[in-house]
Amino acid sequence: MNKKFLTMGCISSLSLAMYSGCSDSTSDLYNPANPFGEVNEESSSSVANAGAGDEIVVSSDSESATSSATATSSASLNLSSSATIAPNSSATIAPNSSATLASSSSNGTKPSTNSSSSATPTIQSSSSTTSQQVNENTGNRPVITYAASGATATNAGNCVTVTGGTVTIKCGGEYDFSGNYSGNDAQILVNTAKTDSSVYLNMRGLTLSNTADAPIYIQKASKAFVVAKNGTTNTLSDGSTRTKTYNYTNDNGEAKTDTTGACIYAKDDLTIKGEGTLVVKGNYNNGIHTSNDLKVKNGLITVNAKNNGLKGKSSVEISGGTINITTTEGDGIKSDTEDAADLASGKGSIEITGGEITITSAFDGITAANAVTVANGESTSPTIKVTAGGGHSCLSDPTSNTGSTGGRGGMGGFPGMGGSSCSPTESMKGIKGDSSITISAGIIDINSRDDGLHSSGNITVSGGTITIATDDDGVHAEKALYVKDNANISVTLAYEGMESPDMHFEGGITSVITTDDGWNAAGGTSTTTTGGNTGRGGPGGFGGGFGPGSGSTGKLTVTGGYHYIYVGTGDTDGVDSNGDITISGGVIIVECRMNGGMGGMVDSDGTTNISSNAKLLGFGTNNSEEGTQYSVSFNTNNYYGTSSIAFKPSFSGNKMVSSVGQPSAISSVSGMTKTCFGNSTDRCVYTK
């Protein structure tokens, strides 16, 4: 007798009953004759060419288990080129027929299948005493339909238990759901072994409202997928309170007690996908939550949640989809593991590489305990719009104030001192990454009560187009800020435009309009106190504050890029550092309307070095502490500068700073290169 060998590394003796494939993809039809999913082409050829009497030996690389089937002339086991094990038109795989399929576990004990050819066979795993039926009723995957009386299931075998409106999934595989049901038992509960295959919950027009709990609860699974099928609308809502607790044993034999904390609530990895529509209403707490990794692939997804919209405690990855999130008491997208080992391994992070995301959040729009990354995906670039904390509401546009008094006083600040930030005590930031924020692509629009971009570590922007309006800092990094390459950042309104103790402008195009400092290199610690206006006014404070005793230090370096800074009236600085300033390249335009205090267009508490290789033009209404200053009267009708740089100011004054020699009115900018800042068509610099 000839032998054909088939290696199948993805076979587990615990997952024979409902195994629908080794990959994460879904098919439209569940094939019970292919419980093992994909196989390699070499194995496919060997089985397909097996003749009568050939013994086909199936071996598992991972568990050293073997299964054998004998093909006879009346019942053969065929494997097509698409890697599907299916009986031919005249064959039926049954324990009592001439074609048998037996599986042995790693301990050598072979599970038995005792049924007639017309009955549904039962496969017994040697590692479990629970029988599981293979779904062979019609050849289709299990179908669960909800109606007013509850749920009914077909093709379910022993993998599905239905009690009223509660459907319990006990095997890996694909399951179709449709219908409409509301009640305190309206729930899909998944409890499968982690060694089993992935579970796919295919939504094919389902409205499920649980009045007391979560409509979807992934208690235990290898991986779970919620799939909104194309052309369907699926709506899930949960109860506003919780009284029920769940007691179960995990795969480690540990007793667990759990209460669902979201409308879609998962304890293991969860993926949301599909080309249909998914509407999630989280009335109790979060909208979609997993204690592990959350992925969103595609689909039209709307989440309305009391607390957080999307939460993956270990991580969140979004690569596509049109996602609309609204929260009334929480954050938009969140990853917040506190485990030190997880954080060290990169968990607690959010990565966005695609999709159109709109967030209206009560608090932070996007927040991660570790890193936030926004980058290009394989074929798309993400679009993100965030309104956090209701958006900015208390700062006035400094460009509209043409008087001589100071900026808005804020919460206790004094007119004439630049005003203080009026941001709230709660965190209502646009994007927050505790360890870092890295942005290399995408279109990002942030309107926030608190900082637009905020990190307790570093912020690096090398690409993308970012627009920020806020009542506090536009961009704030507590360790270092890097702007380079193709970054395009426009802060249309902020208390301070960009702030970090270590600032590096290496390229890109930036624009900031602020009521206080434009760039502020501050926040680092120093063993000695320094002079200058280094303090920062808090609630009831003195706006820009007074420097002596602050102990803050900073460093600012510019080597390239095009940068525009506009600061309002009061004790305001355009470019400010509590340490050194080094400008060796790039193009910088500063419009500073300071009319009180110290500082001006350029202010440094350390050493200031401005190279002639850099093109710096400053326009002011008061003296500048640093830079080469000229007494040049300017107005809004003419361009001013030199033969290498020219700019038309937005207000009138009589003080200018220039790194390229004596500035004057320029009669023509013909032949010069025009670069505009932000979305402006009139705030543009001309250079040669």
Side-chain angles (χ1 to χ4, degrees):
M1 179 175 61
N2 297 324
K3 291 187 177 182
K4 305 290 184 180
F5 288 87
L6 172 62
T7 300
M8 303 184 66
C10 60
I11 298 176
S12 168
S13 61
L14 296 177
S15 60
L16 294 175
M18 280 292 297
Y19 206 102
S20 63
C22 299
S23 70
D24 289 341
S25 62
T26 64
S27 63
D28 287 335
L29 195 63
Y30 175 81
N31 192 341
N34 179 21
F36 306 116
E38 297 179 352
V39 295
N40 59 53
E41 292 182 0
E42 180 180 356
S43 299
S44 172
S45 174
S46 298
V47 178
N49 295 326
D54 285 352
E55 180 181 357
I56 306 171
V57 181
V58 183
S59 66
S60 169
D61 292 340
S62 61
E63 298 185 14
S64 301
T66 61
S67 299
S68 63
T70 302
T72 69
S73 59
S74 60
S76 61
L77 184 62
N78 295 327
L79 187 63
S80 68
S81 59
S82 59
T84 301
I85 303 175
N88 59 28
S89 60
S90 63
T92 300
I93 301 178
N96 296 330
S97 68
S98 58
T100 61
L101 178 63
S103 174
S104 64
S105 65
S106 58
N107 61 11
T109 303
K110 293 184 177 181
S112 60
T113 57
N114 297 318
S115 66
S116 66
S117 59
S118 61
T120 302
T122 299
I123 298 181
Q124 176 71 49
S125 169
S126 63
S127 60
S128 172
T129 59
T130 302
S131 297
Q132 296 179 340
Q133 289 181 315
V134 177
N135 300 295
E136 288 190 357
N137 296 6
T138 65
N140 295 324
R141 66 171 64 97
V143 175
I144 296 91
T145 305
Y146 277 94
S149 59
T152 58
T154 58
N155 308 314
N158 281 348
C159 290
V160 179
T161 299
V162 177
T163 305
T166 300
V167 177
T168 302
I169 306 298
K170 299 181 290 184
C171 313
E174 294 191 48
Y175 301 82
D176 288 352
F177 293 87
S178 64
N180 190 325
Y181 182 72
S182 176
N184 60 11
D185 61 342
Q187 185 177 80
I188 301 167
L189 191 155
V190 176
N191 187 317
T192 65
K194 282 195 157 185
T195 54
D196 208 341
S197 59
S198 300
V199 175
Y200 293 86
L201 306 179
N202 296 325
M203 308 284 105
R204 294 183 178 274
L206 176 68
T207 298
L208 196 60
S209 175
N210 193 316
T211 58
D213 212 281
I216 294 183
Y217 176 26
I218 315 296
Q219 192 175 78
K220 191 170 60 171
S222 170
K223 291 181 184 294
F225 294 77
V226 174
V227 185
K229 287 297 185 176
N230 188 24
T232 68
T233 297
N234 307 276
T235 303
L236 306 170
S237 63
D238 68 348
S240 59
T241 60
R242 294 289 193 272
T243 58
K244 186 175 182 179
T245 58
Y246 299 83
N247 297 304
Y248 65 98
T249 302
N250 66 12
D251 281 4
N252 295 325
E254 301 168 327
K256 293 291 183 180
T257 300
D258 197 19
T259 300
T260 62
C263 183
I264 299 179
Y265 186 72
K267 304 298 291 184
D268 292 308
D269 292 346
L270 175 64
T271 297
I272 309 296
K273 61 182 293 187
E275 297 181 359
T277 298
L278 177 65
V279 179
V280 177
K281 301 176 181 178
N283 300 306
Y284 171 65
N285 188 37
N286 299 331
I288 300 175
H289 169 107
T290 175
S291 299
N292 284 356
D293 300 326
L294 174 63
K295 296 181 180 180
V296 179
K297 299 287 189 180
N298 56 349
L300 303 174
I301 303 166
T302 298
V303 179
N304 294 287
K306 181 179 180 181
N307 194 9
N308 306 306
L310 303 181
K311 180 177 176 181
K313 193 171 184 67
S314 292
S315 71
V316 177
E317 295 181 18
I318 299 175
S319 57
T322 300
I323 305 167
N324 293 281
I325 299 171
T326 302
T327 72
T328 57
E329 298 180 14
D331 304 320
I333 301 173
K334 187 170 189 174
S335 182
D336 66 347
T337 183
E338 297 178 353
D339 184 84
D342 285 347
L343 290 170
S345 66
K347 294 294 186 179
S349 297
I350 296 173
E351 181 181 73
I352 300 175
T353 57
E356 297 180 7
I357 304 168
T358 302
I359 300 171
T360 303
S361 58
F363 294 101
D364 295 334
I366 299 172
T367 178
N370 209 332
V372 174
T373 301
V374 181
N376 273 328
E378 293 181 0
S379 59
T380 61
S381 181
T383 299
I384 303 170
K385 183 176 182 179
V386 175
T387 303
H392 75 86
S393 62
C394 60
L395 287 183
S396 298
D397 182 359
T399 64
S400 63
N401 180 8
T402 58
S404 59
T405 58
R408 182 182 177 93
M411 297 189 291
F414 288 92
M417 300 301 291
S420 68
S421 165
C422 56
S423 63
T425 55
E426 300 89 352
S427 182
M428 297 177 175
K429 298 172 175 62
I431 299 178
K432 181 172 71 174
D434 284 353
S435 68
S436 67
I437 295 175
T438 303
I439 299 173
S440 59
I443 299 173
I444 302 172
D445 187 349
I446 296 173
N447 185 356
S448 59
R449 287 277 283 120
D450 204 347
D451 296 345
L453 301 179
H454 179 98
S455 176
S456 298
N458 296 344
I459 295 178
T460 301
V461 183
S462 60
T465 300
I466 306 170
T467 304
I468 299 171
T470 174
D471 285 330
D472 204 356
D473 296 343
V475 180
H476 181 106
E478 294 187 11
K479 289 186 178 179
L481 169 65
Y482 297 89
V483 178
K484 54 188 178 181
D485 300 336
N486 298 314
N488 193 322
I489 305 173
S490 178
V491 179
T492 60
L493 178 64
Y495 170 66
E496 290 187 340
M498 301 188 190
E499 182 177 47
S500 178
D502 189 10
M503 305 180 74
H504 300 265
F505 295 88
E506 302 170 6
I509 300 174
T510 72
S511 170
V512 299
I513 298 174
T514 71
T515 61
D516 197 64
D517 296 342
W519 292 352
N520 189 18
T525 57
S526 174
T527 56
T528 60
T529 60
T530 57
N533 58 329
T534 58
R536 173 171 178 170
F542 292 91
F546 298 102
S550 70
S552 172
T553 188
K555 181 179 68 175
L556 191 151
T557 303
V558 183
T559 58
Y562 291 79
H563 311 286
Y564 171 76
I565 300 165
Y566 180 103
V567 297
T569 57
D571 183 13
T572 57
D573 301 328
V575 177
D576 183 20
S577 174
N578 290 359
D580 298 338
I581 294 177
T582 301
I583 302 175
S584 60
V587 175
I588 305 172
I589 300 294
V590 178
E591 292 194 276
C592 177
R593 294 168 56 200
M594 182 192 78
N595 60 358
M598 303 168 60
M601 291 168 273
V602 181
D603 179 23
S604 169
D605 295 333
T607 301
T608 300
N609 291 304
I610 303 175
S611 169
S612 60
N613 292 327
K615 295 180 174 65
L616 168 65
L617 274 184
F619 300 83
T621 55
N622 210 332
N623 290 327
S624 177
E625 286 197 3
E626 302 292 341
T628 304
Q629 183 170 281
Y630 299 89
S631 295
V632 176
S633 294
F634 57 87
N635 56 52
T636 60
N637 298 320
N638 297 306
Y639 290 94
Y640 294 84
T642 67
S643 59
S644 62
I645 183 172
F647 183 82
K648 180 185 287 187
S650 61
F651 63 92
S652 300
N654 55 16
K655 303 292 183 182
M656 288 190 66
V657 167
S658 172
S659 66
V660 289
Q662 172 77 42
S664 62
I666 303 297
S667 59
S668 174
V669 294
S670 177
M672 304 179 80
T673 300
K674 179 181 179 181
T675 303
C676 294
F677 301 99
N679 296 323
S680 174
T681 57
D682 55 355
R683 290 184 178 175
C684 307
V685 63
Y686 294 80
T687 56
K688 278 188 178 179

